[in-house]
Amino acid sequence: MATPSSDTENNAERELRQETVTGTVERVTYHNEENGFSVLKIRARGSRDAVTVVGNSPAISPGEFIACTGSWQNNRTHGLQFKADGIDIIQPTTADGIEKYLASGMVKGVGSFYAKKLVKKFGTGVLDILDSNPERLLEIEGIGRKRLELITKSWEEQKAIREIMVFLQSHGVGIARAFRIYKTYRQDAIKKVSENPYSLSLDIDGIGFLTADTIASKLGIAHDSLIRAEAGVRHVLQELASSGHCAVPKERLVQESADMLDISAPIVEEAIAVETGKFNLVRETIDGEEIFYLAPLHRAEEKTAAALAALLQGRTPWKGIDLQKAVVQIAEETGLQLSPSQKEALALVLTNKAAVITGGPGVGKTTLVNAILRVIRKKTTKILLCAPTGRAAKRLSESTGMEAKTIHRLLEFDPNSGGFKRGSGNPLEADMVVVDETSMVDIVLMSKLLSAVPAKAALLLVGDADQLPSVGPGAVLTDIIASDAVPVVRLTEIFRQAARSQIIVNAHRINNGEIPRNAEGEELSDFYVVNSQTPENIHAKLMQMVTERIPARFGFHPVRDIQVLTPMNRGGLGSRALNAELQKALNGSAEPKVSRFGSIFSPGDKVIQMVNNYDKEVFNGDIGAITAIDTEESELTVDFDKRPVRYEFSELDELALAYATSIHKSQGSEYLAVVIPLAMQHFTLLERNLIYTAVTRGKKLVVIIAQPKALALAVTNRKADRRMTTLALKLTEAAGNPNP
């Protein structure tokens, strides 16, 4: 077999010939979890040096033995590479290869220590023993029943995963999605996918119509079949929901579905009728226009409106509060002198069962909430505080001195059933429920929360309506305010102490459509705008700011204290590219390293949780630091606010590096220092509430590194495409007729 060490062969001739290269994977340089594209360094037979292989493959780990079919190519940038048309993972046959394979971390409970012992004891027959007679592993000193069970289970799981992965990849499914499918269906994955690939879009979070459609096409399902049209209609509605919309006019639904599916409108209309008949969709007519909802979103809007209307009725749980006396007592006990607007707000909240407090930073929301709680606690002790995220709940606890929980914890989420233990049949034990950061709460979660609030209780919603709306569908806080059904306190006055912060002053300037003022003079400020003319220049300045200038000048730790917030995930200034660069600069020498799902993790890395994991009590957007990696046990430990959480290597698709995160992911969090890159390449996302949200995340320092045109666009652009929701209308109607 010709190899790259064959210096006598002409490169051009070598590039034309199909060959097979076999060898052991030494390093996974790159792996794309979506399409399986990999760059591998392998120790090939007949070659003195490591060989670079590029091609598509299932998940591969160092130590695995592969056979690649393809041809040699001379890449201008990276030199001679083997471009593989196909990569097959095969079990190694040599003792050295088997030892590396078992030590790779693929088999939980083995690791390098026991891999060496197993090969020494059983030689090249160890894989057969794992297959047919695993009890013999008990002959190895240190392997007891518990470890044997762990190894056996992991070995069987790896075999099943490999078979399922090969099947799914042969039908166009990327690695990350294949793992989600496996985690949901386990050994039934192949059967389930074969029977109805479109069920994937219903059963598995993160698996959409496009993935299912790719599989369906390869399984022979007709392009214009009704089952495809039904799934396509749901997909269009789900895509709109992921953009925040709860409903869509029929005309738009038909047009977008027909265009996306490349089928005729009559087939789409038939599919809409079938899905409506199955109660997967709900039809309403508003102002003479037909609109359609996904059933869960329609139900959530209806329940939210009804629950709020019901809560507005009746008397407050507390009685006999003398407002003037309460204001005097607050001043005597805390030294706080409430402003006239805060006194009016206090009176409004204390005389209504449901109310909203909204306003930007520095306008006294926290002071007002504390004053309200101080008054009410003298009348009742059953007050519950909550917020959408762990970090927001922690901040609420710190500002009030009372326990605050995430909404999921408050409602007692049950991971076994996928629902909440608290609801209309088992309401919360409370006289008052306070929800902070309400702008982050989507319509589904709000409906679940309100169903658990007892009829006797009062409700206080607190939030900044000018921030980004929730990641999930709906515009709950904005809609409640717009309904005019719930009393609203709008705080606008910036208090003297807060006005000393240029972060707060400039946040309000941005919210008013004005360009933020830059720091002047030599004195240190908490807000800077650094002008840059090109994305490349922004990148260079950002790296220097985070790794050198801010730590040197302000004393902030570059990993713990500084957070880069960027509008996008993709591109040179997106979170993915910036994370790779910042990891290399700030933690590149850390060992050991584990490579999974296209990311490399090391102790000391800052990471973010990408999905809600109720078993671990870690939620989407939570940021922590990797404290340990155990290659023997194939486990990684992350510290989330001094709480260690363990992840198996197979669970690392839930984590991503977090030196840089998207602005959307930062909602509800605060960081000592924030660095925000803004370039015209972000133009589709540049809008006022995005930059406003980013700026208000910084506590001690905000640095914007921007092309002037991009910053101006972000500040002046108020997005016209408002989310299509009907909560405001439903709430207005329900409040006018609370008992229909």
Side-chain angles (χ1 to χ4, degrees):
M1 179 196 73
T3 72
S5 60
S6 303
D7 298 326
T8 59
E9 186 173 3
N10 182 278
N11 280 348
E13 293 176 359
R14 185 185 298 147
E15 289 181 14
L16 294 173
R17 196 169 70 203
Q18 286 285 308
E19 302 179 25
T20 298
V21 172
T22 60
T24 303
V25 178
E26 288 199 335
R27 185 169 78 249
V28 180
T29 304
Y30 176 78
H31 183 76
N32 186 311
E33 64 269 28
E34 295 300 326
N35 58 25
F37 178 76
S38 304
V39 180
L40 312 171
K41 288 287 187 182
I42 73 167
R43 181 64 61 183
R45 290 176 179 173
S47 174
R48 290 190 302 258
D49 302 317
V51 172
T52 300
V53 174
V54 296
N56 289 57
S57 69
I60 289 181
S61 293
E64 293 193 285
F65 196 75
I66 60 174
C68 315
T69 304
S71 59
W72 295 102
Q73 293 193 354
N74 199 17
N75 184 281
R76 289 184 179 180
T77 304
H78 303 291
L80 196 60
Q81 300 177 332
F82 189 81
K83 186 176 181 181
D85 298 323
I87 299 176
D88 295 318
I89 300 173
I90 56 179
Q91 289 187 352
T93 56
T94 67
D96 184 56
I98 291 171
E99 183 180 326
K100 286 182 179 178
Y101 174 65
L102 291 175
S104 69
M106 293 291 289
V107 183
K108 191 171 172 62
V110 178
S112 58
F113 178 76
Y114 284 107
K116 190 179 292 293
K117 282 195 167 191
L118 286 167
V119 173
K120 185 177 180 181
K121 173 73 174 177
F122 301 116
T124 57
V126 65
L127 300 183
D128 291 331
I129 287 173
L130 283 167
D131 274 333
S132 57
N133 193 12
E135 288 282 323
R136 290 201 61 194
L137 268 61
L138 294 172
E139 298 173 22
I140 302 293
E141 184 180 355
I143 295 182
R145 283 284 170 190
K146 188 175 180 181
R147 186 174 290 272
L148 173 65
E149 185 179 333
L150 185 67
I151 293 171
T152 304
K153 181 181 177 183
S154 179
W155 178 254
E156 290 299 324
E157 191 171 74
Q158 287 305 318
K159 285 171 60 182
I161 288 174
R162 185 71 67 203
E163 179 185 355
I164 291 164
M165 287 298 211
V166 170
F167 168 81
L168 292 172
Q169 282 218 296
S170 71
H171 290 85
V173 182
I175 300 300
R177 290 188 175 97
F179 265 104
R180 290 195 198 109
I181 293 169
Y182 170 74
K183 285 179 179 180
T184 301
Y185 296 141
R186 296 290 172 177
Q187 276 72 14
D188 292 332
I190 294 175
K191 178 184 175 185
K192 291 273 191 183
V193 172
S194 299
E195 287 176 348
N196 182 7
Y198 293 110
S199 64
L200 294 171
S201 60
L202 295 176
D203 296 343
I204 301 174
D205 186 35
I207 303 288
F209 169 81
L210 297 180
T211 300
D213 200 38
T214 300
I215 300 171
S217 176
K218 295 197 175 189
L219 290 172
I221 293 176
H223 184 74
D224 60 352
S225 65
L226 188 58
I227 188 175
R228 180 172 182 265
E230 290 178 52
V233 166
R234 289 197 306 269
H235 169 67
V236 169
L237 280 167
Q238 285 162 351
E239 285 293 293
L240 290 166
S242 70
S243 298
H245 302 287
C246 292
V248 61
K250 181 180 180 180
E251 184 178 350
R252 180 178 177 184
L253 178 58
V254 172
Q255 185 65 53
E256 291 194 15
S257 299
D259 290 346
M260 189 269 296
L261 294 165
D262 191 24
I263 61 176
S264 66
I267 297 176
V268 172
E269 293 190 3
E270 183 182 357
I272 291 172
V274 171
E275 286 294 293
T276 305
K278 291 179 180 177
F279 303 106
N280 291 329
L281 309 185
V282 175
R283 173 187 173 276
E284 278 193 354
T285 302
I286 297 179
D287 294 331
E289 183 177 44
E290 279 187 275
I291 64 171
F292 284 86
Y293 309 73
L294 288 170
L297 298 184
H298 181 267
R299 188 162 51 246
E301 282 201 338
E302 291 271 323
K303 287 188 173 181
T304 298
L308 278 170
L311 281 174
L312 288 167
Q313 306 305 306
R315 296 182 178 180
T316 59
W318 48 85
K319 297 175 184 177
I321 293 178
D322 185 323
L323 183 62
Q324 297 301 324
K325 185 178 178 182
V327 170
V328 171
Q329 286 181 336
I330 289 169
E332 290 175 350
E333 294 170 5
T334 67
L336 291 174
Q337 297 291 334
L338 297 182
S339 68
S341 62
Q342 287 177 320
K343 290 178 184 177
E344 290 178 17
L346 181 65
L348 187 73
V349 172
L350 292 179
T351 53
N352 287 278
K353 277 192 73 208
V356 173
I357 296 175
T358 187
V363 296
K365 292 196 302 292
T366 299
T367 300
L368 178 57
V369 169
N370 278 329
I372 292 165
L373 294 176
R374 180 171 288 276
V375 172
I376 292 175
R377 269 186 293 186
K378 294 180 178 179
K379 297 291 183 178
T380 179
T381 58
K382 293 182 180 179
I383 300 172
L384 298 179
L385 310 183
C386 63
T389 67
R391 288 203 163 199
K394 183 180 179 183
R395 287 170 49 204
L396 183 58
S397 290
E398 292 169 349
S399 64
T400 61
M402 298 172 63
E403 182 186 19
K405 298 180 179 180
T406 64
I407 296 174
H408 285 84
R409 285 190 65 198
L410 183 71
L411 298 181
E412 299 174 28
F413 182 83
D414 182 2
N416 295 320
S417 68
F420 295 105
K421 294 179 181 178
R422 293 288 184 173
S424 56
N426 182 28
L428 296 165
E429 297 176 8
D431 292 321
M432 184 179 195
V433 176
V434 179
V435 186
D436 198 13
E437 296 285 2
T438 307
S439 64
M440 295 177 62
V441 184
D442 64 44
I443 188 63
V444 175
L445 185 57
M446 181 57 77
S447 72
K448 298 292 186 185
L449 173 62
L450 294 181
S451 71
V453 176
K456 66 171 185 175
L459 176 72
L460 177 59
L461 304 176
V462 185
D464 186 346
D466 293 316
Q467 285 189 21
L468 285 169
S470 57
V471 174
V476 173
L477 182 60
T478 302
D479 283 349
I480 291 173
I481 293 171
S483 73
D484 287 329
V486 179
V488 177
V489 174
R490 292 180 178 84
L491 299 176
T492 57
E493 178 187 353
I494 303 176
F495 287 92
R496 187 178 303 167
Q497 185 175 356
R500 296 172 189 158
S501 166
Q502 291 305 300
I503 295 175
I504 290 175
V505 170
N506 280 315
H508 284 273
R509 285 183 63 84
I510 290 168
N511 206 27
N512 291 328
E514 302 172 66
I515 299 295
R517 291 198 180 108
N518 205 354
E520 297 178 357
E522 295 298 319
E523 189 175 337
L524 286 180
S525 174
D526 62 358
F527 191 96
Y528 294 87
V529 176
V530 180
N531 290 329
S532 296
Q533 297 306 315
T534 66
E536 293 75 17
N537 191 237
I538 293 174
H539 183 279
K541 287 181 178 178
L542 182 146
M543 294 298 296
Q544 187 183 36
M545 284 282 182
V546 175
T547 61
E548 299 174 22
R549 293 186 63 183
I550 293 175
R553 199 167 186 196
F554 292 89
F556 293 137
H557 190 279
V559 179
R560 288 194 308 269
D561 301 335
I562 302 173
Q563 185 62 52
V564 176
L565 299 179
T566 179
M568 300 183 77
N569 289 318
R570 300 181 184 277
L573 292 174
S575 61
R576 294 174 187 172
L578 290 174
N579 270 317
E581 294 286 338
L582 289 166
Q583 180 191 45
K584 183 179 178 182
L586 297 171
N587 200 39
S589 61
E591 294 289 346
K593 298 184 188 306
V594 58
S595 176
R596 287 293 188 278
F597 306 105
S599 294
I600 298 172
F601 300 103
S602 303
D605 277 336
K606 180 157 61 171
V607 292
I608 186 169
Q609 179 75 13
M610 301 300 289
V611 295
N612 290 333
N613 187 319
Y614 303 103
D615 289 327
K616 298 182 189 296
E617 291 192 0
V618 185
F619 302 100
N620 190 351
D622 286 353
I623 287 179
I626 297 174
T627 55
I629 294 177
D630 188 335
T631 55
E632 294 285 335
E633 298 296 328
S634 298
E635 284 187 346
L636 176 152
T637 303
V638 180
D639 181 278
F640 289 102
D641 288 326
K642 299 182 180 178
R643 187 172 69 89
V645 178
R646 288 191 177 92
Y647 292 81
E648 295 183 9
F649 285 177
S650 62
E651 297 176 307
L652 294 183
D653 58 330
E654 295 187 7
L655 294 177
L657 294 174
Y659 298 94
T661 67
S662 70
I663 296 171
H664 282 85
K665 285 284 186 185
S666 73
Q667 288 178 270
S669 298
E670 277 188 346
Y671 314 97
L672 286 180
V674 166
V675 179
I676 307 163
L678 293 177
M680 285 307 295
Q681 62 184 230
H682 301 143
F683 76 94
T684 56
L685 291 172
L686 294 178
E687 54 183 288
R688 188 179 302 172
N689 61 0
L690 185 89
I691 186 66
Y692 174 75
T693 298
V695 166
T696 54
R697 301 307 91 202
K699 291 175 66 177
K700 300 292 185 182
L701 176 67
V702 171
V703 178
I704 299 175
I705 309 174
Q707 291 175 288
K709 187 177 179 181
L711 178 58
L713 178 62
V715 170
T716 57
N717 181 27
R718 299 196 73 173
K719 199 164 185 179
D721 186 20
R722 189 182 178 278
R723 294 182 170 190
M724 183 164 185
T725 64
T726 54
L727 175 61
L729 177 63
K730 286 179 167 58
L731 180 52
T732 301
E733 292 175 349
N737 185 22
N739 297 299

